[in-house]
Amino acid sequence: PFPFAEHASTGRARCQACRKGIEKGELRVAIARPNDGMPGDGAMYLHVGCALEHTKDAALLAALEKHSRGLTPQDVDALRTALTPPG
């Protein structure tokens, strides 16, 4: 289920927020692509640092912690750092 975090398996994806490439092996956030009437569930990818601003979802971190598999403690720390609003 979306959203989830993972390491990019290739370097072909582009961040849907900033449009820059996501490097192979880089931690990224996958969110559901709007289906626009098309069948199937696709993913849109975001840099971890772009994810909160793009989704505007205060519960994003909790959802990522629930749905992501195979992340190291360092990956989870990186998510927490990037997705915790300042203040």
Side-chain angles (χ1 to χ4, degrees):
F2 292 107
F4 60 88
E6 65 179 7
H7 289 275
S9 58
T10 70
R12 295 185 310 228
R14 291 204 173 275
C15 176
Q16 294 299 300
C18 72
R19 307 303 300 165
K20 294 181 182 173
I22 299 173
E23 299 289 325
K24 181 177 181 176
E26 185 176 355
L27 190 60
R28 66 183 180 183
V29 173
I31 60 173
R33 179 181 300 282
N35 67 9
D36 297 327
M38 302 297 287
D41 295 328
M44 291 183 2
Y45 297 105
L46 302 163
H47 289 114
V48 172
C50 296
L52 189 59
E53 179 66 27
H54 182 78
T55 64
K56 309 268 192 268
D57 183 358
L60 180 61
L61 178 59
L64 292 173
E65 289 177 330
K66 180 179 178 182
H67 299 295
S68 302
R69 302 287 178 255
L71 299 181
T72 67
Q74 293 82 5
D75 293 335
V76 175
D77 286 344
L79 289 172
R80 284 189 187 124
T81 298
L83 299 175
T84 301

